[in-house]
Amino acid sequence: MRPYVILNAAMTLDGKIATQTGSSNISGKEDLERVHELRKECDAIMVGIGTVMADDPRLTVHKIDANPEDNPVRVVVDSKCRTPIDARITNGDAHTVIACANEYKEEFKSSEKFEAFKEKGVKVFFSGDKRVDLSALMSYLHEEGIEKLMLEGGATLNFSMIKAGLIDEIRICIAPMVVGGANAKTFFDGEGFDLMDDAIKLELIDSYSLGKDLILTYKVI
Ligand SMILES: NC(=O)c1ccc[n+]([C@@H]2O[C@H](COP(=O)([O-])OP(=O)(O)OC[C@H]3O[C@@H](n4cnc5c(N)ncnc54)[C@H](O)[C@@H]3O)[C@@H](O)[C@H]2O)c1
Ligand SMILES: Nc1nc(=O)c(N)c(NC[C@H](O)[C@H](O)[C@H](O)COP(=O)(O)O)[nH]1
């Protein structure tokens, strides 16, 4: 068993979720409010360590009226336990789970950072050898009571999750902007598929304008 997983993101018309220098203010005001309404509905929100290092996100509900108990559990996929000790997602605003890989377990468990996270109430979950076993992580989170999980990115984790068949729904905000950049992060990076016939198939179930943005909702089939 695993949570129902909704991938939510924002991208430019040319498919970038950040520029080649990491600039990523893409969503309009109205979409940011939609994102926080979605966060409020979810039991957990998950990002990769690349997003933590690039954005230092709070992953709390703060752009709409909300109470502290509305904050979802924050999950970071972080094989090598690189999450900075002062990362905002390890503060006391919500519960936090850091998912690491077993190869780095002994080294991490004997570190000061591990003790500091324990004192802060941050949970650490180990799975996989060199990389986090995403299916095992989803099962663990479901056992912890997470029924609905919002995946926020980034580019690499999005591909791993969809390739593993762990995404049920995609909600994408397409902003009326073009940034280009061969090295800019796209909605899905990772190793990718070689053949179009191997593409993950989607079914469009909703589309609407929101401010200047276009919001598309797909079921992964
Ligand atoms: N516009 C948006 O909606 C949006 C949302 C989130 C992030 N972003 C942007 O995306 C960028 C970050 O994306 P990224 O690809 O660099 O990093 P990421 O956030 O996708 O994290 C990927 C990292 O997670 C770790 N990891 C551990 N196990 C893994 C597994 N099984 N599969 C995949 N990763 C695993 C690895 O270290 C990997 O490099 C940033 O620029 C951020 O601003 C944009
Ligand atoms: N939907 C969306 N639109 C954007 O334009 C953008 N840059 C992100 N980025 C996702 C990232 O994970 C965090 O949402 C941001 O970094 C803000 O983080 P917080 O509000 O502090 O949690 N997400």
Side-chain angles (χ1 to χ4, degrees):
M1 292 291 282
R2 64 171 177 83
Y4 182 83
V5 176
I6 299 170
L7 166 56
N8 186 86
M11 71 181 184
T12 59
L13 180 64
D14 56 325
K16 316 297 187 185
I17 62 171
T19 67
Q20 56 201 357
T21 62
S23 171
S24 65
N25 48 325
I26 300 169
S27 291
K29 177 180 175 301
E30 299 86 352
D31 184 55
L32 288 174
E33 287 168 7
R34 178 188 65 82
V35 171
H36 283 250
E37 292 293 349
L38 179 56
R39 286 185 176 182
K40 199 173 174 179
E41 288 171 27
C42 291
D43 304 310
I45 181 168
M46 182 165 89
V47 293
I49 184 61
T51 299
V52 171
M53 302 305 266
D55 299 345
D56 191 24
R58 285 154 284 188
L59 300 187
T60 55
V61 184
H62 62 86
K63 288 194 183 293
I64 58 172
D65 289 342
N67 301 310
E69 57 270 17
D70 290 325
N71 288 331
V73 173
R74 302 167 298 192
V75 183
V76 193
V77 176
D78 176 11
S79 310
K80 301 175 185 171
C81 324
R82 289 185 289 147
T83 300
I85 203 158
D86 60 352
R88 291 195 291 183
I89 46 113
T90 67
N91 69 23
D93 292 349
H95 295 295
T96 303
V97 175
I98 300 179
C100 305
N102 281 303
E103 177 147 325
Y104 309 93
K105 185 173 187 176
E106 292 321 310
E107 177 192 346
F108 182 45
K109 290 192 81 167
S110 58
S111 70
E112 283 179 23
K113 185 155 70 166
F114 185 78
E115 289 308 316
F117 281 158
K118 205 156 68 170
E119 275 172 37
K120 290 174 117 178
V122 172
K123 283 187 183 176
V124 183
F125 172 76
F126 291 96
S127 71
D129 297 326
K130 287 184 179 296
R131 295 187 103 189
V132 171
D133 177 331
L134 297 172
S135 297
L137 174 58
M138 291 299 109
S139 299
Y140 165 74
L141 291 173
H142 191 259
E143 286 157 16
E144 292 289 298
I146 305 296
E147 293 293 339
K148 192 172 177 183
L149 181 139
M150 177 178 176
L151 171 64
E152 271 219 1
T156 307
L157 184 57
N158 290 347
F159 181 77
S160 291
M161 285 286 285
I162 204 162
K163 183 179 180 187
L166 296 172
I167 296 177
D168 299 288
E169 188 178 325
I170 295 176
R171 299 185 192 177
I172 184 68
C173 162
I174 301 177
M177 300 190 277
V178 170
V179 286
N183 298 319
K185 296 286 181 184
T186 70
F187 193 10
F188 294 88
D189 281 354
E191 69 267 22
F193 297 111
D194 292 336
L195 302 175
M196 208 51 85
D197 287 351
D198 295 337
I200 302 282
K201 311 294 186 290
L202 308 171
E203 180 192 339
L204 180 66
I205 55 173
D206 194 14
S207 62
Y208 58 93
S209 289
L210 185 61
K212 295 180 181 170
D213 299 328
L214 174 64
I215 313 298
L216 304 179
T217 301
Y218 292 89
K219 290 293 275 182
V220 180
I221 45 182

